[in-house]
Amino acid sequence: MSHYDIAIIGLGPAGSTLARLLSPKFRVAALDKKIFGAESSGFRKPCGGLISGDAQKALASFDMTLPKDVLVDPQIFAVKTIDLKNKLIRHYQRFYINLDRHKFDLWLESIIPPAVEIHAGAVCVSIQKTSGGFRVTYIENGERRTLTTKYIIGADGANSIVRRTFYPQKKIRNYLSIQQWFPETHPNPFYSCIFDPENTDCCSWSISKDQQFIFGGAFPVQGARARFERQKKKLERIGFRFGKPLKTEACLVLRPSSFRDFCCGESGVFLIGEAAGFISPSSLEGISSAIYSARDLATVLNSGRGSLNRRYFAKTRHIRVKLFLKILKCPFMYQPFLRKLVMKSGICAIKINSLEN
Ligand SMILES: Cc1cc2nc3c(=O)[nH]c(=O)nc-3n(C[C@H](O)[C@H](O)[C@H](O)COP(=O)(O)OP(=O)(O)OC[C@H]3O[C@@H](n4cnc5c(N)ncnc54)[C@H](O)[C@@H]3O)c2cc1C
């Protein structure tokens, strides 16, 4: 059985960023159920694949640039915000980069230094605390294997096994996120954000990507699929074109609702990215916080000084404060009366000029 200083579970934006930034002095193993290098097979993270201004800033802080093959067509400058309850539509300027999320993950993984031992297609199935650290059991190539490690990093997203194992009581409000992909048949590609309290107290979205149209939403887990289908019917009435889905994907998405929801870990367990609850409750944007929390943990682990868990907790205060402010913003987006006032006021909205006007 191999022993490591650090075992990272999950190589999404959080885990890959951490693996890239850790000092070569550590012996690091990184496990992910995705099969890297194989673009068409294996697990793919369901995601809108929009890189927000915050995430662009996080990448810029490493002086990183995106390769063009992760981008998709078209790039979009405004979100069409649809309030189905108040029957309002407004357009707001956005500065997202529209990309292929799977290719983005593969690219982040491709720039991890070779010193990190990557186990692709490996699913972590259990973690036990031992006297010197942790024992990790995982399935790789159909075989059950184990490794031991001094520190364990949960970078395994919304349904984190690391978080569930060590903090079963720390449950965060969660939703089932369902996305369907269709051939794009709208005359003009667009990006939309939909509020439909009859079917969900969270939001839904649509995005055009390389001649495909993605429609997705975050729904209460109970009856999620029926709510999704009901919402599609309502949207068809206002011009959405769905047709026969090319694929349907689903996963949990977290939506923190209080400051106490965030969980950074303790006693050698560290949580980063969405596993820590670091995702915006207003927009479900999570890539920026995944990158920032990974950067903060790498800084703490590389320095090796003091209580590492306490220092990581302190260092990620800026993320918790940012996300807490988003919790405060939520009523203005999700409370129908306040949303109506905001949308009716036209504050920050863009007037879309069409030739018919
Ligand atoms: C439908 C949807 C749309 C979204 N759209 C956007 C968007 O447009 N922009 C944005 O910024 N955010 C978006 N988000 C949020 C964003 O996807 C996440 O917050 C972000 O990916 C979190 O990064 P992460 O690295 O923490 O976790 P993840 O990206 O979830 O990565 C976790 C990794 O862990 C691996 N893993 C999980 N369990 C195991 C296991 N047991 N063993 C081995 N490996 C494991 C997975 O394969 C995965 O690679 C969206 C979320 C959803 C659900």
Side-chain angles (χ1 to χ4, degrees):
M1 189 191 321
S2 306
H3 181 77
Y4 299 87
D5 300 307
I6 297 169
I8 304 172
I9 313 300
L11 286 175
S16 287
T17 302
L18 178 69
R20 180 169 53 82
L21 298 177
L22 282 173
S23 159
K25 72 184 176 195
F26 296 119
R27 189 157 184 231
V28 183
L31 275 56
D32 196 292
K33 60 185 178 186
K34 283 198 294 277
I35 301 167
F36 292 103
E39 286 206 3
S40 56
S41 65
F43 174 77
R44 283 163 178 252
K45 165 81 184 176
C47 182
L50 295 174
I51 299 293
S52 67
D54 270 357
Q56 292 167 39
K57 205 166 162 188
L59 292 169
S61 72
F62 300 113
D63 206 10
M64 284 171 89
T65 53
L66 278 178
K68 89 169 189 283
D69 63 304
V70 307
L71 302 182
V72 295
D73 186 46
Q75 296 303 319
I76 300 169
F77 308 121
V79 55
K80 181 175 181 176
T81 302
I82 303 172
D83 180 337
L84 288 174
K85 180 170 171 66
N86 294 313
K87 299 190 172 44
L88 288 169
I89 296 183
R90 290 281 182 274
H91 291 80
Y92 296 96
Q93 188 175 13
R94 287 293 176 271
F95 299 95
Y96 294 129
I97 293 174
N98 192 7
L99 50 71
D100 179 322
R101 170 61 200 263
H102 190 60
K103 284 190 182 165
F104 179 65
D105 280 0
L106 297 184
W107 169 67
L108 285 176
E109 186 268 347
S110 74
I111 53 178
I112 296 172
V116 174
E117 205 178 286
I118 294 177
H119 295 258
V123 182
C124 171
V125 289
S126 72
I127 307 152
Q128 279 105 35
K129 180 104 186 91
T130 61
S131 53
F134 304 89
R135 183 184 303 110
V136 177
T137 307
Y138 58 101
I139 312 276
E140 190 175 24
N141 297 326
E143 273 181 39
R144 203 175 178 84
R145 296 181 181 167
T146 51
L147 61 80
T148 56
T149 177
K150 185 170 177 198
Y151 301 122
I152 181 94
I153 318 295
D156 45 350
N159 197 23
S160 165
I161 188 171
V162 182
R163 184 175 175 132
R164 279 186 282 125
T165 303
F166 295 102
Y167 308 101
Q169 76 289 359
K170 275 258 180 196
K171 292 209 168 65
I172 305 184
R173 177 174 57 160
N174 57 59
Y175 293 79
L176 189 68
S177 181
I178 304 176
Q179 279 199 154
Q180 276 186 334
W181 296 58
F182 307 89
E184 176 61 284
T185 54
H186 297 92
N188 213 9
F190 65 103
Y191 165 46
S192 73
C193 176
I194 299 133
F195 297 99
D196 174 20
E198 210 174 86
N199 286 306
T200 177
D201 61 347
C202 196
C203 63
S204 300
W205 53 87
S206 72
I207 309 156
S208 297
K209 268 184 211 288
D210 281 345
Q211 308 305 320
Q212 299 194 335
F213 177 71
I214 305 175
F215 171 66
F219 298 89
V221 177
Q222 281 280 342
R225 187 59 196 259
R227 292 165 186 267
F228 177 78
E229 294 300 337
R230 272 203 304 271
Q231 191 174 73
K232 273 169 64 187
K233 290 233 148 46
K234 283 171 99 171
L235 290 169
E236 265 170 344
R237 278 181 232 131
I238 59 164
F240 277 60
R241 298 179 183 179
F242 295 110
K244 197 167 177 279
L246 299 168
K247 69 173 171 183
T248 303
E249 48 193 15
C251 69
L252 273 192
V253 64
L254 302 183
R255 193 173 178 220
S257 54
S258 99
F259 210 73
R260 287 189 305 275
D261 280 347
F262 308 115
C263 176
C264 293
E266 53 197 13
S267 311
V269 178
F270 297 88
L271 298 172
I272 58 176
E274 201 173 333
F278 292 152
I279 176 167
S280 164
S282 54
S283 63
L284 304 183
E285 189 277 327
I287 293 174
S288 62
S289 301
I291 296 174
Y292 279 128
S293 56
R295 178 202 61 186
D296 293 343
L297 182 56
T299 308
V300 168
L301 290 173
N302 288 345
S303 85
R305 287 194 314 272
S307 159
L308 300 181
N309 278 102
R310 214 172 305 146
R311 287 191 54 224
Y312 171 60
F313 179 76
K315 227 173 167 38
T316 48
R317 188 170 177 271
H318 68 109
I319 302 175
R320 288 190 297 281
V321 169
K322 178 186 84 175
L323 296 177
F324 183 68
L325 293 176
K326 306 260 184 197
I327 294 174
L328 298 182
K329 178 183 170 188
C330 275
F332 296 95
M333 288 175 71
Y334 289 95
Q335 211 280 329
F337 179 70
L338 290 179
R339 183 173 60 238
K340 184 175 173 178
L341 288 184
V342 172
M343 288 181 74
K344 278 224 152 183
S345 75
I347 293 172
C348 301
I350 299 174
K351 190 169 169 341
I352 301 286
N353 294 301
S354 76
L355 291 177
E356 293 96 63
N357 287 340

